[in-house]
Amino acid sequence: MQIFLRRKWIIAAGLLPAVLIYTMFSIYPILSSVYYSLFKWDGFSPKQWHGLQNYVNLIGDGVFWQSIRNNLYFVLFSVLGEIPLGLYLAIMLNGKLFRRNGIFRTVFFMPVVISTIVVSLIWNMFYNYQFGLVNTALRAFGLEHWAQNWLGNPKLAIFVLCIVVVWQYTGLYMVIFLAALQNVPSEVLEAAELDGAVGLKRTWNIVVPIIADTIFASVVLCISGALRAFDLIYIMTNGGPSHSTEVGATYMFTQTFNSTKYGYGSAISTAIIIISFGLIMISQFIMRSLKR
Amino acid sequence: MKIKWAKTIGTGMLVAAMVAVLSACGQSKSTDNASGQSGQAEKEPTVLSFMTTWSETDPFTGVYYKNAMAFQEANPDIKLDIETIPYNDYPVKLSTTAAAGKLPDLILMIDGSATFQQIARSGALMPIDDMMGHWKEDFLPSSKIQEYNVDGKQYGIPGEISYTTVIYYNKKILRDAGYTEFPKTYEAFKAMVKDLKSKKITPISYGNKVGTVVQASLLSPVNERISGSGLYEEIKSGKQKFTDPEFMSALKEVKELSDLGAFNVDLNSIDNVQATNLFLSGNSAMYVDGSWGAKQISKDKSPDFELGFAMFPEFEGGKGSLSTTIGSTNQGVSLSAKLDDAKKAAAEKFLQFMYSKESYQNIMRDGNMVPANVEAPADVNPLFKEMINEFAGVKEVIPPFNIVMPANVTTVAKNGLQGLTTPGGSAPEAVAEELQKELGQ
């Protein structure tokens, strides 16, 4: 008992620095942001008590809801794009054909390593109206009327950005899945083979259930990543044209720092926390019921 | 149990040893410093921290950096501790450091915008009225430095004047299309745009990704030509509204130009450097941007490119005139309110040097207009001279929309104008209503 108690203290002491740092840089800013969201404040002059007015304005703010909708597109594309594609690539690379060839792993993982700024600039050039790769290719094939200003078309721009995100992060999930696949015991696979489960059947009925936990964890990662999306959009379109590619984080940033509405910006970030939390809870619930 | 204790003690000793080694390192360093200082000079230099966008290699601010370095050389007893922030990030950096109360000793104010005024009113900056005796009225007219004046107090001196609306045009393209002279009236200008479009030439290239370009170089001149110079003040004071006919008609003109196909399709997805390249590669007949655009153009254009300059044309029956242009004064340096006497004296020396006759001449030589009355040096860029001649008849310079209006309104205007110039985007009425709503907040 004594040893147990003492160990508890040692564990607590070991955790303390991490907890302190986490509180200082994560919990405290979140709480202070909730506090600021109750004020009308431009950052320079004294704060004015505003009560819940910022939240009332937020609910009536069409741009905010549009940015949340764009965030949901990101979540949808990420979960339905990155995860299946990553899984597919991982299974391919784990197969006999590619297993010994490390180069493919490197190729697919490359976009994850490249800095987002570089990714943004490369894709900006791809999508450029005059000389971009996409339009040049379309024109070369005689599909000139399909060529368009990809990032400037309010109806298309957000989906065009989704493609970039999927391209950028599929490799990450591929590596996670690859690691999980390599941990699938070969006895199980051999037994399955003896029972006549080969090909797709084996993958779907044996392999996927074994790595299900990894997949679920990846979905959570994926959702939170998509909700945090900022840098790529900030560089590629800056939320424009006319808010059409605005996501929660970019809207919060422009409202806070460009419009110097610190109170309103804090209200937006608080709302994003609540919405993200809700989404993660929903996804957890769905996955738990799937497991059963 | 015993073994465990031994382990703990062992770890403890290791940690203690490490701490001792680390602190010893720290100590030896500090003693080094002390001996170094006593060996140098008796007098320590006054260090002024300075936040700026100026950098040696930047074509727009390189000359300021060089002037500052010259100051440094002439005054070894003052040391500038320069922190360089990229131009596009500077406004955010400025407002956040000001909000945090962490402004350095010297702060570059790129322009006299609403954010600068907010910071000045918050008391974070030191007025320099007691230093203004160094600049005589006939050298630096007070009318030209008023953008750096808030509520009657001076907070800086601008280094240059820029016109935010200069129409750069490709003489050859216009000549081939049948225009030997640039249209003087807006109706004729619009007719030319239509004509160029029908000839499959992109009339104007804009790089409005950041969103301020169309505000400063299209909306502002159209507003001035229609309503004269007082419109923005009237809107700010509540005498007029964004939704009233005068401002609305300007928004409608912008929308009409966009619907005519006057702009490059991707004006809202490219920046002004890319737009300049479109123009210089012969893909558009005109390029509209501020007078600063001339630097990149004169640097990158091929020798046989025939460049023309024009002012924004006149509206028939409008209240504005060709003797007015849109412009702003830039590159002033403000002082932190927290400076002590020694630092203040050093900062005064710095300002005196940076805004002296010699410095202004360097700025001119680099292709800028200056607020001070100084003779142009003989070796000024000929292209720049040509541009100045085009603007010789200017009597009044009024600030653009994005300088006059508060930051939250310009953010709304950025998105509103992007919407107006996007096919299937917003309607002028909706944009005006958004603006009015934002101004009321």
Side-chain angles (χ1 to χ4, degrees):
Chain A
M1 186 63 200
Q2 225 183 1
I3 298 169
F4 178 69
L5 261 182
R6 189 177 295 134
R7 191 179 283 167
K8 220 175 176 180
W9 274 111
I10 291 172
I11 291 171
L15 283 175
L16 192 68
V19 171
L20 271 182
I21 289 172
Y22 185 71
T23 314
M24 212 151 71
F25 293 106
S26 241
I27 309 274
Y28 171 70
I30 289 174
L31 290 180
S32 61
S33 151
V34 173
Y35 170 72
Y36 288 141
S37 74
L38 304 174
F39 292 90
K40 185 178 181 178
W41 185 37
D42 65 2
F44 313 109
S45 17
K47 296 193 266 295
Q48 287 168 38
W49 176 253
H50 218 203
L52 289 175
Q53 191 56 43
N54 279 332
Y55 292 95
V56 175
N57 293 348
L58 193 66
I59 288 168
D61 185 347
V63 181
F64 172 69
W65 293 112
Q66 189 183 354
S67 68
I68 294 299
R69 199 179 62 204
N70 285 341
N71 258 133
L72 292 181
Y73 283 140
F74 259 59
V75 171
L76 223 64
F77 263 75
S78 301
V79 174
L80 300 181
E82 288 162 21
I83 303 271
L85 262 176
L87 189 59
Y88 174 76
L89 289 177
I91 290 171
M92 291 295 284
L93 291 183
N94 199 40
K96 286 185 190 108
L97 212 55
F98 298 107
R99 187 174 255 179
R100 285 205 208 116
N101 206 337
I103 186 135
F104 289 99
R105 237 172 288 173
T106 316
V107 167
F108 291 127
F109 193 64
M110 196 97 90
V112 185
V113 186
I114 303 176
S115 133
T116 306
I117 295 175
V118 177
V119 170
S120 313
L121 293 178
I122 292 173
W123 281 87
N124 252 348
M125 282 183 218
F126 275 1
Y127 288 136
N128 184 289
Y129 178 71
Q130 273 87 11
F131 56 81
L133 186 74
V134 179
N135 281 351
T136 314
L138 286 173
R139 286 183 192 124
F141 287 117
L143 295 168
E144 193 145 1
H145 56 288
W146 282 14
Q148 53 181 306
N149 181 22
W150 298 99
L151 291 170
N153 182 331
K155 292 200 180 79
L156 282 180
I158 188 70
F159 301 108
V160 165
L161 287 175
C162 285
I163 293 172
V164 183
V165 173
V166 171
W167 178 85
Q168 193 185 5
Y169 286 112
T170 297
L172 176 70
Y173 297 105
M174 179 201 77
V175 166
I176 295 176
F177 293 145
L178 202 55
L181 284 176
Q182 277 159 1
N183 280 336
V184 173
S186 56
E187 300 87 42
V188 177
L189 294 179
E190 277 160 25
E193 217 160 299
L194 283 179
D195 287 341
V198 281
L200 212 59
K201 214 188 240 171
R202 188 182 71 176
T203 307
W204 189 247
N205 290 328
I206 312 290
V207 177
V208 170
I210 292 178
I211 64 166
D213 278 332
T214 312
I215 296 179
F216 290 152
S218 303
V219 169
V220 173
L221 262 181
C222 209
I223 293 176
S224 61
L227 287 169
R228 270 204 320 253
F230 175 77
D231 38 7
L232 189 92
I233 296 170
Y234 187 70
I235 300 163
M236 284 189 75
T237 63
N238 200 358
S242 189
H243 295 306
S244 58
T245 56
E246 204 84 76
V247 291
T250 55
Y251 191 51
M252 181 272 289
F253 186 84
T254 45
Q255 286 298 306
T256 314
F257 300 115
N258 295 0
S259 297
T260 59
K261 294 198 278 192
Y262 283 72
Y264 193 57
S266 301
I268 296 174
S269 40
T270 310
I272 294 174
I273 293 173
I274 295 169
I275 291 170
S276 310
F277 192 68
L279 271 178
I280 302 269
M281 292 308 277
I282 291 170
S283 69
Q284 290 276 30
F285 178 75
I286 293 174
M287 285 186 295
R288 233 172 257 158
S289 51
L290 267 181
K291 256 188 196 170
R292 279 183 208 134
Chain B
M1 218 22 220
K2 254 187 185 169
I3 298 167
K4 259 202 178 147
W5 269 115
K7 253 190 192 170
T8 320
I9 291 168
T11 323
M13 280 170 72
L14 193 69
V15 169
M18 273 165 71
V19 169
V21 169
L22 285 176
S23 56
C25 283
Q27 259 174 16
S28 70
K29 209 174 171 189
S30 63
T31 47
D32 271 3
N33 273 350
S35 61
Q37 267 168 9
S38 59
Q40 263 175 9
E42 294 99 58
K43 214 180 132 197
E44 267 183 65
T46 315
V47 178
L48 289 172
S49 55
F50 180 26
M51 184 169 85
T52 183
T53 65
W54 300 349
S55 79
E56 197 168 6
T57 49
D58 179 22
F60 301 105
T61 62
V63 60
Y64 292 96
Y65 185 85
K66 280 169 208 149
N67 281 348
M69 287 303 110
F71 167 78
Q72 183 78 88
E73 230 163 76
N75 296 279
D77 55 327
I78 300 170
K79 196 181 168 318
L80 291 173
D81 179 16
I82 297 180
E83 183 190 6
T84 307
I85 316 282
Y87 175 82
N88 283 332
D89 302 331
Y90 195 77
V92 170
K93 175 80 178 171
L94 175 64
S95 63
T96 43
T97 30
K102 296 257 184 319
L103 285 176
D105 301 334
L106 302 172
I107 312 109
L108 170 73
M109 293 294 172
I110 297 177
D111 49 43
S113 65
T115 308
F116 155 72
Q117 292 169 20
Q118 269 179 320
I119 299 174
R121 289 206 178 97
S122 77
L125 304 180
M126 181 183 281
I128 55 165
D129 295 295
D130 51 339
M131 307 175 188
M132 290 309 291
H134 297 301
W135 294 275
K136 301 273 174 290
E137 177 74 19
D138 57 343
F139 175 69
L140 196 68
S142 51
S143 65
K144 294 208 170 147
I145 58 172
Q146 65 188 2
E147 277 177 42
Y148 284 87
N149 193 308
V150 182
D151 303 334
K153 286 179 197 146
Q154 196 71 31
Y155 289 96
I157 294 167
E160 67 184 64
I161 296 184
S162 3
Y163 295 153
T164 59
T165 315
V166 178
I167 301 178
Y168 302 89
Y169 62 93
N170 187 325
K171 280 184 181 164
K172 187 172 178 304
I173 292 184
L174 288 196
R175 201 169 49 229
D176 291 350
Y179 299 90
T180 46
E181 207 170 87
F182 198 84
K184 284 275 177 273
T185 68
Y186 190 72
E187 280 307 312
F189 173 74
K190 240 182 350 193
M192 181 179 81
V193 164
K194 266 187 224 168
D195 186 31
L196 287 170
K197 189 69 197 170
S198 70
K199 288 174 177 149
K200 303 243 176 223
I201 301 164
T202 304
I204 307 170
S205 62
Y206 262 116
N208 190 44
K209 186 176 170 186
V210 194
T212 47
V213 181
V214 167
Q215 282 179 49
S217 320
L218 183 62
L219 179 68
S220 301
V222 172
N223 271 147
E224 192 280 332
R225 295 295 188 250
I226 294 177
S227 319
S229 55
L231 180 67
Y232 296 153
E233 287 309 322
E234 283 186 12
I235 290 177
K236 265 183 17 181
S237 66
K239 264 197 210 155
Q240 278 219 47
K241 284 184 176 158
F242 282 119
T243 45
D244 284 347
E246 288 206 356
F247 190 81
M248 277 300 301
S249 55
L251 287 181
K252 280 179 186 155
E253 290 295 345
V254 173
K255 171 96 178 140
E256 196 192 337
L257 272 184
S258 167
D259 290 347
L260 284 177
F263 312 126
N264 49 324
V265 179
D266 51 356
L267 82 157
N268 291 320
S269 352
I270 62 173
D271 60 25
N272 44 5
V273 176
Q274 288 168 302
T276 308
N277 288 334
L278 275 183
F279 171 65
L280 290 178
S281 57
N283 281 313
S284 72
M286 293 171 263
Y287 169 64
V288 187
D289 200 0
S291 53
W292 53 83
K295 283 187 196 174
Q296 199 204 340
I297 292 176
S298 76
K299 199 171 84 179
D300 291 351
K301 82 180 179 69
S302 63
D304 55 345
F305 189 95
E306 295 174 60
L307 182 68
F309 301 93
M311 288 185 74
F312 202 83
E314 203 168 16
F315 273 69
E316 276 170 47
K319 290 182 203 160
S321 80
L322 278 176
S323 64
T324 306
T325 192
I326 315 296
S328 61
T329 47
N330 304 88
Q331 310 294 352
V333 174
S334 286
L335 275 49
S336 160
K338 292 175 186 160
L339 296 189
D340 58 30
D341 285 343
K343 280 191 172 186
K344 192 181 166 188
E348 186 170 357
K349 266 190 184 171
F350 178 70
L351 291 184
Q352 220 181 327
F353 187 94
M354 291 302 289
Y355 302 100
S356 64
K357 187 179 157 215
E358 289 73 30
S359 294
Y360 273 127
Q361 278 183 332
N362 286 340
I363 296 170
M364 283 184 101
R365 196 172 287 125
D366 203 52
N368 305 290
M369 290 167 279
V370 296
N373 296 322
V374 289
E375 266 172 56
D379 52 344
V380 96
N381 184 340
L383 203 74
F384 169 67
K385 247 185 197 162
E386 214 178 301
M387 182 170 79
I388 298 302
N389 285 342
E390 180 62 35
F391 282 84
V394 169
K395 301 226 161 48
E396 191 188 10
V397 180
I398 63 165
F401 185 93
N402 48 317
I403 298 281
V404 185
M405 292 293 166
N408 55 336
V409 176
T410 56
T411 308
V412 171
K414 169 203 151 182
N415 285 294
L417 289 170
Q418 283 191 338
L420 276 188
T421 51
T422 303
S426 10
E429 289 79 10
V431 174
E433 254 164 53
E434 282 272 297
L435 284 169
Q436 190 60 40
K437 200 179 126 206
E438 193 64 37
L439 186 69
Q441 276 183 13

